[in-house]
Amino acid sequence: MKVAFFNTKSYDRQSFNSANEQHQHEIIFFESHLSHETVSLAVGFSTVCIFINDYLDAEILEKLAHGGTKLIALRSAGFNHVDLVAANKFEIAIVRVPAYSPFAVAEHAAALILSLNRKVHRAYNRVREGNFSIEGLLGFDLHGATVGVIGTGRIGAIFSQIMYGFGCKLLGYDAYQNTVCLKLGMEYVSMSELFAKSDIISLHCPLTAESHHLINAEAIAQMKHGVMLINTSRGGLIDTQAAIDSLKSGAIGYLGIDVYEQEADLFFEDLSSQVIQDDTFQRLLTFPNVIVTGHQAFFTSEALANIAETTLSNISEFEQTGDCANAIKIDKAIASK
Ligand code: NAD
Protein backbone atom coordinates (compact mmCIF):
# COMPACT_ATOMS: atom_id res chain seq x y z
CA MET A 1 0.00 0.00 0.00
CA LYS A 2 1.05 3.60 -0.46
CA VAL A 3 1.87 4.85 3.03
CA ALA A 4 2.64 8.41 4.19
CA PHE A 5 4.73 8.33 7.36
CA PHE A 6 4.54 11.50 9.43
CA ASN A 7 6.72 12.68 12.30
CA THR A 8 9.63 10.39 11.46
CA LYS A 9 13.16 10.47 12.87
CA SER A 10 16.26 8.68 11.62
CA TYR A 11 15.60 5.71 13.95
CA ASP A 12 12.05 5.31 12.52
CA ARG A 13 13.29 5.33 8.93
CA GLN A 14 15.96 2.76 9.79
CA SER A 15 13.64 0.31 11.57
CA PHE A 16 10.81 0.69 9.01
CA ASN A 17 13.05 0.37 5.96
CA SER A 18 14.51 -2.79 7.43
CA ALA A 19 11.09 -4.33 8.27
CA ASN A 20 9.66 -3.26 4.87
CA GLU A 21 12.05 -5.57 3.01
CA GLN A 22 9.48 -8.29 3.81
CA HIS A 23 6.33 -6.25 3.25
CA GLN A 24 7.24 -4.12 0.22
CA HIS A 25 4.85 -1.24 0.92
CA GLU A 26 5.44 2.01 -0.94
CA ILE A 27 6.60 4.26 1.88
CA ILE A 28 7.21 8.01 1.86
CA PHE A 29 8.70 9.45 5.05
CA PHE A 30 7.87 13.00 6.15
CA GLU A 31 9.73 14.62 9.03
CA SER A 32 6.86 16.97 9.85
CA HIS A 33 4.03 16.23 12.24
CA LEU A 34 0.62 15.58 10.78
CA SER A 35 -1.21 18.84 11.40
CA HIS A 36 -3.65 21.26 9.77
CA GLU A 37 -0.69 22.75 7.90
CA THR A 38 0.74 19.45 6.62
CA VAL A 39 -2.35 17.31 6.05
CA SER A 40 -2.32 18.13 2.30
CA LEU A 41 0.88 16.05 2.00
CA ALA A 42 -1.28 12.97 2.59
CA VAL A 43 -3.53 13.46 -0.48
CA GLY A 44 -3.51 10.27 -2.53
CA PHE A 45 -2.13 8.06 0.25
CA SER A 46 -4.54 5.27 1.20
CA THR A 47 -2.64 4.80 4.47
CA VAL A 48 -1.23 7.35 6.87
CA CYS A 49 1.12 6.33 9.67
CA ILE A 50 1.47 8.60 12.72
CA PHE A 51 3.04 8.76 16.18
CA ILE A 52 1.66 9.87 19.56
CA ASN A 53 2.18 13.62 19.10
CA ASP A 54 0.24 13.83 15.84
CA TYR A 55 -3.24 14.86 16.92
CA LEU A 56 -6.05 13.70 14.68
CA ASP A 57 -9.08 15.91 15.18
CA ALA A 58 -12.30 15.87 13.14
CA GLU A 59 -11.08 18.50 10.67
CA ILE A 60 -7.86 16.65 9.85
CA LEU A 61 -9.72 13.34 9.57
CA GLU A 62 -12.23 14.89 7.17
CA LYS A 63 -9.39 16.21 4.98
CA LEU A 64 -7.67 12.82 5.06
CA ALA A 65 -10.92 11.09 4.03
CA HIS A 66 -11.34 13.51 1.11
CA GLY A 67 -7.75 12.82 0.07
CA GLY A 68 -8.47 9.09 -0.17
CA THR A 69 -7.11 7.84 3.19
CA LYS A 70 -8.82 4.67 4.38
CA LEU A 71 -6.44 3.57 7.13
CA ILE A 72 -4.52 5.25 9.94
CA ALA A 73 -1.70 3.09 11.30
CA LEU A 74 -0.64 4.24 14.76
CA ARG A 75 2.98 3.53 15.72
CA SER A 76 1.82 3.37 19.33
CA ALA A 77 -0.38 1.46 21.74
CA GLY A 78 -2.23 4.50 23.11
CA PHE A 79 -4.87 6.16 20.90
CA ASN A 80 -5.98 9.10 23.05
CA HIS A 81 -4.69 11.45 20.30
CA VAL A 82 -7.30 10.32 17.76
CA ASP A 83 -10.92 11.52 17.58
CA LEU A 84 -12.51 8.09 17.24
CA VAL A 85 -16.04 9.44 16.69
CA ALA A 86 -14.81 11.45 13.70
CA ALA A 87 -12.76 8.51 12.36
CA ASN A 88 -15.91 6.41 12.51
CA LYS A 89 -17.93 9.11 10.74
CA PHE A 90 -15.39 9.42 7.91
CA GLU A 91 -15.01 5.63 7.64
CA ILE A 92 -11.30 5.60 8.39
CA ALA A 93 -10.04 2.46 10.15
CA ILE A 94 -7.49 2.86 12.94
CA VAL A 95 -4.93 0.15 13.71
CA ARG A 96 -2.32 0.22 16.46
CA VAL A 97 0.53 -1.71 18.03
CA PRO A 98 -1.01 -3.03 21.23
CA ALA A 99 2.28 -4.29 22.70
CA TYR A 100 5.79 -3.82 21.42
CA SER A 101 8.00 -4.08 24.45
CA PRO A 102 6.26 -3.86 27.76
CA PHE A 103 9.67 -4.64 29.26
CA ALA A 104 11.09 -1.37 27.91
CA VAL A 105 8.50 0.80 29.68
CA ALA A 106 8.46 -1.21 32.91
CA GLU A 107 12.25 -1.15 33.09
CA HIS A 108 12.28 2.62 32.53
CA ALA A 109 9.83 3.10 35.40
CA ALA A 110 12.21 1.07 37.59
CA ALA A 111 15.14 3.20 36.36
CA LEU A 112 13.32 6.37 37.44
CA ILE A 113 12.65 4.87 40.88
CA LEU A 114 16.26 3.82 41.42
CA SER A 115 17.64 7.15 40.17
CA LEU A 116 15.28 9.25 42.31
CA ASN A 117 15.78 7.16 45.41
CA ARG A 118 19.60 7.04 45.27
CA LYS A 119 19.85 10.49 43.64
CA VAL A 120 21.97 9.21 40.79
CA HIS A 121 21.24 12.38 38.73
CA ARG A 122 22.73 14.55 41.48
CA ALA A 123 25.63 12.21 42.28
CA TYR A 124 26.62 12.13 38.58
CA ASN A 125 26.99 15.93 38.47
CA ARG A 126 28.75 16.17 41.83
CA VAL A 127 31.41 13.57 41.05
CA ARG A 128 32.16 15.17 37.66
CA GLU A 129 32.85 18.43 39.47
CA GLY A 130 35.13 16.75 42.02
CA ASN A 131 32.51 16.99 44.78
CA PHE A 132 32.53 13.67 46.60
CA SER A 133 30.28 14.73 49.48
CA ILE A 134 27.37 12.37 50.04
CA GLU A 135 25.38 14.90 52.10
CA GLY A 136 21.82 15.02 50.76
CA LEU A 137 22.10 11.77 48.81
CA LEU A 138 20.46 9.58 51.47
CA GLY A 139 18.16 6.93 49.99
CA PHE A 140 15.96 4.17 51.38
CA ASP A 141 15.90 0.40 50.94
CA LEU A 142 13.40 -0.60 48.28
CA HIS A 143 13.23 -3.95 50.06
CA GLY A 144 10.11 -3.83 52.21
CA ALA A 145 8.69 -0.66 50.57
CA THR A 146 5.05 -0.73 49.46
CA VAL A 147 4.53 -0.10 45.75
CA GLY A 148 1.08 0.84 44.42
CA VAL A 149 0.50 -0.07 40.79
CA ILE A 150 -2.40 1.72 39.04
CA GLY A 151 -3.24 -0.32 35.93
CA THR A 152 -2.02 -3.89 36.07
CA GLY A 153 -2.12 -4.77 32.36
CA ARG A 154 0.91 -5.80 30.31
CA ILE A 155 3.32 -3.09 31.50
CA GLY A 156 1.97 -2.92 35.05
CA ALA A 157 2.41 -6.69 35.47
CA ILE A 158 6.04 -6.65 34.31
CA PHE A 159 6.74 -3.61 36.47
CA SER A 160 5.23 -5.54 39.41
CA GLN A 161 7.55 -8.48 38.71
CA ILE A 162 10.57 -6.15 38.76
CA MET A 163 9.52 -4.51 42.03
CA TYR A 164 8.75 -7.93 43.54
CA GLY A 165 12.36 -8.81 42.72
CA PHE A 166 13.48 -5.90 44.92
CA GLY A 167 11.44 -7.31 47.80
CA CYS A 168 8.61 -4.76 47.62
CA LYS A 169 5.07 -5.33 48.84
CA LEU A 170 2.60 -4.84 45.98
CA LEU A 171 -0.78 -3.12 45.97
CA GLY A 172 -2.83 -2.92 42.78
CA TYR A 173 -5.77 -0.92 41.45
CA ASP A 174 -7.50 -2.11 38.28
CA ALA A 175 -10.99 -3.27 37.36
CA TYR A 176 -9.41 -6.56 36.27
CA GLN A 177 -7.15 -8.65 38.53
CA ASN A 178 -4.08 -9.91 36.66
CA THR A 179 -3.13 -13.50 37.59
CA VAL A 180 0.58 -12.68 37.10
CA CYS A 181 0.26 -9.99 39.78
CA LEU A 182 -1.85 -12.15 42.08
CA LYS A 183 0.88 -14.82 41.98
CA LEU A 184 3.36 -12.18 43.21
CA GLY A 185 1.12 -11.61 46.23
CA MET A 186 -0.32 -8.34 44.93
CA GLU A 187 -3.28 -7.19 46.97
CA TYR A 188 -5.97 -5.44 44.92
CA VAL A 189 -7.38 -2.53 46.91
CA SER A 190 -9.47 0.57 46.38
CA MET A 191 -7.77 3.64 44.92
CA SER A 192 -8.01 5.41 48.32
CA GLU A 193 -6.32 2.52 50.12
CA LEU A 194 -3.58 2.34 47.50
CA PHE A 195 -2.98 6.09 47.91
CA ALA A 196 -2.91 5.83 51.71
CA LYS A 197 -0.56 2.83 51.98
CA SER A 198 1.95 3.19 49.13
CA ASP A 199 5.49 4.53 49.48
CA ILE A 200 5.82 4.51 45.69
CA ILE A 201 2.93 4.88 43.20
CA SER A 202 3.45 4.03 39.53
CA LEU A 203 0.88 4.75 36.82
CA HIS A 204 0.34 2.13 34.11
CA CYS A 205 -3.24 2.80 32.99
CA PRO A 206 -4.33 4.47 29.72
CA LEU A 207 -5.42 8.10 29.49
CA THR A 208 -9.19 8.26 29.07
CA ALA A 209 -11.85 10.81 29.99
CA GLU A 210 -12.20 8.88 33.25
CA SER A 211 -8.49 8.79 34.12
CA HIS A 212 -7.68 12.40 33.10
CA HIS A 213 -6.07 14.12 36.13
CA LEU A 214 -6.44 10.92 38.16
CA ILE A 215 -3.62 12.37 40.25
CA ASN A 216 -4.94 15.75 41.38
CA ALA A 217 -4.79 17.72 44.63
CA GLU A 218 -7.51 15.60 46.20
CA ALA A 219 -5.71 12.35 45.34
CA ILE A 220 -2.33 13.64 46.55
CA ALA A 221 -3.92 14.68 49.86
CA GLN A 222 -4.72 11.00 50.48
CA MET A 223 -1.14 9.85 49.89
CA LYS A 224 1.68 9.34 52.39
CA HIS A 225 3.66 12.53 52.97
CA GLY A 226 6.78 12.33 50.80
CA VAL A 227 5.38 9.70 48.41
CA MET A 228 7.31 8.83 45.25
CA LEU A 229 5.15 9.23 42.13
CA ILE A 230 6.14 7.69 38.78
CA ASN A 231 4.35 8.27 35.47
CA THR A 232 5.46 6.46 32.33
CA SER A 233 1.92 6.26 30.89
CA ARG A 234 0.43 9.52 29.66
CA GLY A 235 0.98 13.09 30.87
CA GLY A 236 -2.72 13.87 31.27
CA LEU A 237 -3.00 11.39 34.15
CA ILE A 238 -1.34 13.98 36.43
CA ASP A 239 -2.55 17.52 37.11
CA THR A 240 0.89 19.11 36.77
CA GLN A 241 0.05 22.25 38.76
CA ALA A 242 -1.19 20.11 41.66
CA ALA A 243 2.06 18.09 41.48
CA ILE A 244 4.13 21.31 41.60
CA ASP A 245 2.20 22.60 44.63
CA SER A 246 2.72 19.24 46.36
CA LEU A 247 6.44 19.19 45.55
CA LYS A 248 6.73 22.66 47.12
CA SER A 249 4.97 21.51 50.30
CA GLY A 250 6.86 18.20 50.44
CA ALA A 251 3.66 16.15 50.07
CA ILE A 252 5.27 14.59 46.99
CA GLY A 253 8.83 13.62 47.92
CA TYR A 254 9.94 12.40 44.51
CA LEU A 255 8.48 12.72 41.02
CA GLY A 256 9.66 10.70 38.01
CA ILE A 257 7.88 11.37 34.73
CA ASP A 258 8.52 10.25 31.18
CA VAL A 259 5.36 11.96 29.96
CA TYR A 260 3.94 15.45 30.43
CA GLU A 261 0.49 16.81 29.64
CA GLN A 262 1.79 19.52 27.27
CA GLU A 263 4.62 17.39 25.86
CA ALA A 264 3.50 17.76 22.23
CA ASP A 265 5.17 21.19 22.07
CA LEU A 266 8.45 19.92 23.53
CA PHE A 267 9.29 16.27 23.35
CA PHE A 268 11.19 14.52 20.54
CA GLU A 269 12.76 17.80 19.33
CA ASP A 270 16.14 19.40 20.09
CA LEU A 271 15.12 22.72 21.66
CA SER A 272 18.46 23.30 23.38
CA SER A 273 19.07 26.60 21.56
CA GLN A 274 15.60 27.98 22.23
CA VAL A 275 13.91 29.64 25.18
CA ILE A 276 11.29 27.23 26.44
CA GLN A 277 8.04 29.12 26.89
CA ASP A 278 6.24 26.58 29.06
CA ASP A 279 6.70 28.00 32.59
CA THR A 280 4.99 25.04 34.25
CA PHE A 281 7.43 22.63 32.65
CA GLN A 282 10.38 24.86 33.51
CA ARG A 283 9.24 25.02 37.16
CA LEU A 284 9.22 21.21 37.29
CA LEU A 285 12.87 21.17 36.22
CA THR A 286 13.92 23.34 39.18
CA PHE A 287 13.19 20.65 41.78
CA PRO A 288 16.13 18.47 42.85
CA ASN A 289 13.74 15.57 43.51
CA VAL A 290 12.17 15.53 40.03
CA ILE A 291 13.45 13.58 37.04
CA VAL A 292 11.86 14.19 33.64
CA THR A 293 12.68 12.10 30.59
CA GLY A 294 11.28 13.00 27.17
CA HIS A 295 8.97 10.06 26.39
CA GLN A 296 11.81 7.60 25.94
CA ALA A 297 10.47 4.72 28.05
CA PHE A 298 9.56 2.73 24.93
CA PHE A 299 12.88 3.46 23.23
CA THR A 300 14.77 0.17 23.00
CA SER A 301 15.98 -1.53 19.84
CA GLU A 302 13.65 -4.47 20.52
CA ALA A 303 10.65 -2.13 20.80
CA LEU A 304 11.51 -0.25 17.58
CA ALA A 305 11.80 -3.53 15.65
CA ASN A 306 8.47 -4.74 17.05
CA ILE A 307 6.71 -1.43 16.29
CA ALA A 308 7.93 -1.54 12.67
CA GLU A 309 7.04 -5.19 12.12
CA THR A 310 3.57 -4.96 13.73
CA THR A 311 2.68 -1.69 11.97
CA LEU A 312 3.62 -3.04 8.53
CA SER A 313 1.83 -6.35 9.24
CA ASN A 314 -1.27 -4.39 10.30
CA ILE A 315 -1.20 -2.51 6.97
CA SER A 316 -0.69 -5.75 4.99
CA GLU A 317 -3.55 -7.45 6.83
CA PHE A 318 -5.88 -4.51 6.18
CA GLU A 319 -4.86 -4.47 2.51
CA GLN A 320 -5.58 -8.20 2.13
CA THR A 321 -8.75 -8.58 4.24
CA GLY A 322 -10.19 -5.09 4.76
CA ASP A 323 -9.85 -5.59 8.51
CA CYS A 324 -7.12 -6.15 11.08
CA ALA A 325 -6.90 -7.93 14.43
CA ASN A 326 -5.20 -4.80 15.83
CA ALA A 327 -7.94 -2.45 14.61
CA ILE A 328 -9.49 -0.30 17.33
CA LYS A 329 -13.10 -1.35 17.52
CA ILE A 330 -14.31 2.21 17.38
CA ASP A 331 -17.87 1.69 18.73
CA LYS A 332 -16.51 -0.25 21.71
CA ALA A 333 -13.78 2.29 22.44
CA ILE A 334 -16.27 5.16 22.33
CA ALA A 335 -18.69 3.29 24.60
CA SER A 336 -15.93 2.71 27.19
CA LYS A 337 -15.12 6.42 27.40
P1 NAD B 1 -2.78 -2.59 28.91
O1 NAD B 1 -4.02 -2.30 28.14
O2 NAD B 1 -2.15 -3.93 28.82
O3 NAD B 1 -3.06 -2.30 30.47
C1 NAD B 1 -3.72 -1.16 30.94
C2 NAD B 1 -4.46 -1.55 32.22
O4 NAD B 1 -5.01 -0.37 32.79
C3 NAD B 1 -5.62 -2.52 31.98
O5 NAD B 1 -5.47 -3.62 32.87
C4 NAD B 1 -6.85 -1.69 32.31
O6 NAD B 1 -7.89 -2.48 32.90
C5 NAD B 1 -6.30 -0.70 33.28
N1 NAD B 1 -7.07 0.54 33.42
C6 NAD B 1 -7.81 1.19 32.48
N2 NAD B 1 -8.33 2.31 33.03
C7 NAD B 1 -7.91 2.36 34.31
C8 NAD B 1 -8.11 3.27 35.37
N3 NAD B 1 -8.85 4.37 35.23
N4 NAD B 1 -7.54 2.99 36.59
C9 NAD B 1 -6.78 1.88 36.75
N5 NAD B 1 -6.56 0.99 35.77
C10 NAD B 1 -7.11 1.22 34.57
O7 NAD B 1 -1.77 -1.44 28.50
P2 NAD B 1 -0.18 -1.46 28.65
O8 NAD B 1 0.43 -2.05 27.42
O9 NAD B 1 0.17 -2.03 29.99
O10 NAD B 1 0.14 0.11 28.61
C11 NAD B 1 -0.23 0.96 29.68
C12 NAD B 1 -0.04 2.40 29.26
O11 NAD B 1 1.37 2.67 29.09
C13 NAD B 1 -0.62 2.76 27.86
O12 NAD B 1 -1.97 3.13 27.98
C14 NAD B 1 0.23 3.91 27.41
O13 NAD B 1 -0.42 5.12 27.77
C15 NAD B 1 1.51 3.78 28.24
N6 NAD B 1 2.71 3.59 27.39
C16 NAD B 1 3.74 4.48 27.54
C17 NAD B 1 4.90 4.34 26.79
C18 NAD B 1 6.09 5.27 26.95
O14 NAD B 1 7.00 5.23 26.12
N7 NAD B 1 6.16 6.08 27.98
C19 NAD B 1 4.98 3.29 25.85
C20 NAD B 1 3.90 2.39 25.74
C21 NAD B 1 2.77 2.55 26.52
Side-chain angles (χ1 to χ4, degrees):
M1 273 174 111
K2 202 175 164 198
V3 191
F5 272 66
F6 283 86
N7 197 354
T8 56
K9 304 282 185 209
S10 61
Y11 45 82
D12 296 309
R13 294 190 281 275
Q14 208 173 359
S15 57
F16 273 94
N17 279 335
S18 168
N20 199 37
E21 283 173 20
Q22 296 276 324
H23 294 273
Q24 295 295 316
H25 292 294
E26 191 187 330
I27 292 179
I28 304 291
F29 293 109
F30 297 113
E31 282 184 21
S32 49
H33 286 243
L34 178 58
S35 65
H36 293 270
E37 290 72 38
T38 62
V39 65
S40 58
L41 292 169
V43 171
F45 285 87
S46 56
T47 303
V48 165
C49 183
I50 61 163
F51 195 46
I52 46 172
N53 291 343
D54 299 303
Y55 288 88
L56 284 195
D57 59 21
E59 202 182 313
I60 292 183
L61 283 160
E62 186 173 14
K63 284 182 181 159
L64 287 174
H66 284 150
T69 299
K70 298 274 175 228
L71 177 68
I72 304 283
L74 306 179
R75 306 198 291 280
S76 62
F79 49 88
N80 53 288
H81 51 306
V82 180
D83 182 336
L84 297 177
V85 178
N88 202 24
K89 181 175 162 195
F90 298 117
E91 296 180 351
I92 295 179
I94 315 279
V95 294
R96 67 181 183 129
V97 186
Y100 34 91
S101 177
F103 299 103
V105 183
E107 288 168 14
H108 193 78
L112 290 173
I113 291 172
L114 290 169
S115 303
L116 281 167
N117 176 20
R118 307 309 295 269
K119 291 138 182 105
V120 176
H121 54 303
R122 301 183 64 199
Y124 174 82
N125 286 328
R126 277 192 198 183
V127 169
R128 285 170 73 92
E129 290 184 5
N131 176 358
F132 303 105
S133 164
I134 59 171
E135 289 281 356
L137 302 185
L138 188 67
F140 61 88
D141 285 0
L142 283 176
H143 185 93
T146 299
V147 178
V149 185
I150 298 184
T152 59
R154 278 172 287 245
I155 296 170
I158 291 165
F159 171 76
S160 300
Q161 288 175 318
I162 294 170
M163 298 320 291
Y164 178 81
F166 281 117
C168 297
K169 184 171 182 278
L170 299 169
L171 298 178
Y173 176 80
D174 196 310
Y176 305 96
Q177 301 201 352
N178 188 321
T179 49
V180 172
C181 297
L182 289 171
K183 279 189 191 146
L184 302 172
M186 176 176 276
E187 196 187 333
Y188 278 90
V189 293
S190 67
M191 186 89 84
S192 308
E193 192 174 344
L194 185 146
F195 287 156
K197 291 187 173 168
S198 301
D199 301 301
I200 300 169
I201 295 173
S202 194
L203 307 179
H204 299 288
C205 59
L207 176 62
T208 60
E210 180 210 345
S211 65
H212 181 254
H213 284 188
L214 181 79
I215 306 298
N216 54 19
E218 200 186 320
I220 296 166
Q222 298 174 55
M223 297 177 192
K224 282 190 182 181
H225 189 81
V227 67
M228 182 187 292
L229 188 60
I230 304 294
N231 187 9
T232 55
S233 274
R234 283 292 180 267
L237 293 174
I238 298 183
D239 176 346
T240 313
Q241 193 51 54
I244 288 173
D245 294 342
S246 309
L247 283 158
K248 285 166 78 177
S249 71
I252 292 179
Y254 313 79
L255 178 68
I257 55 173
D258 184 53
V259 285
Y260 167 61
E261 38 183 348
Q262 303 301 334
E263 70 178 52
D265 298 331
L266 301 169
F267 288 3
F268 303 112
E269 305 304 332
D270 178 2
L271 305 180
S272 54
S273 306
Q274 295 183 28
V275 175
I276 291 179
Q277 300 296 328
D278 183 335
D279 292 344
T280 307
F281 184 75
Q282 290 301 85
R283 181 68 180 101
L284 270 183
L285 300 186
T286 65
F287 294 98
N289 49 351
V290 171
I291 297 183
V292 182
T293 54
H295 212 131
Q296 68 171 85
F298 75 99
F299 197 50
T300 65
S301 45
E302 291 80 1
L304 286 188
N306 287 339
I307 289 170
E309 177 48 37
T310 307
T311 302
L312 295 178
S313 296
N314 285 345
I315 296 169
S316 300
E317 188 182 338
F318 187 83
E319 183 178 27
Q320 284 153 22
T321 67
D323 198 5
C324 174
N326 289 330
I328 298 167
K329 301 299 171 216
I330 292 180
D331 290 341
K332 232 171 140 183
I334 293 167
S336 73
K337 281 200 166 188

